[in-house]
Amino acid sequence: MELILYSKPGCHLCEGLLEKLEMIEGLTFKLEVRDITSREDWFQSYQYEVPVLCINHFGQEQPLPRPSPRASVEQLQRMLRKYFPVNEAK
């Protein structure tokens, strides 16, 4: 499973979400962090929205609900588990 995190430099919300994603255990996923300042189309789409977390299903990006900045790692993991196929959520 692949997760995509749209973020921008200096965004404390982005940094906090990234830290929590890196601490998740029990879910196997590849995380791609995309800097929205590196591409105009990403910047136009997400300049007021970051962090934006998407799941990549066979080349189709699906935005996930935005987790609260106060969500714990465990709460984030429970939220993500809903989007993973049963065999990948161990």
Side-chain angles (χ1 to χ4, degrees):
M1 189 62 65
E2 181 180 32
L3 294 177
I4 301 164
L5 175 61
Y6 288 95
S7 67
K8 65 181 177 182
C11 172
H12 70 280
L13 295 175
C14 300
E15 292 166 0
L17 181 54
L18 178 58
E19 286 177 17
K20 290 174 186 174
L21 288 168
E22 290 173 341
M23 292 191 292
I24 288 179
E25 296 178 358
L27 292 176
T28 304
F29 59 88
K30 176 184 170 196
L31 178 62
E32 179 183 351
V33 180
R34 294 182 177 173
D35 177 355
I36 65 165
T37 65
S38 68
R39 284 186 41 176
E40 185 64 26
D41 57 335
W42 293 345
F43 186 78
Q44 291 301 318
S45 295
Y46 302 118
Q47 64 181 321
Y48 303 114
E49 306 283 327
V50 292
V52 175
L53 188 60
C54 298
I55 195 163
N56 187 347
H57 278 293
F58 305 106
Q60 296 290 330
E61 289 182 26
Q62 173 189 353
L64 300 179
R66 186 174 189 171
S68 167
R70 296 182 181 181
S72 68
V73 173
E74 293 78 20
Q75 290 169 321
L76 181 59
Q77 181 172 328
R78 279 196 302 274
M79 187 272 290
L80 288 175
R81 193 174 295 275
K82 297 174 189 176
Y83 299 95
F84 280 69
V86 174
N87 63 342
E88 291 191 34
K90 298 176 183 174

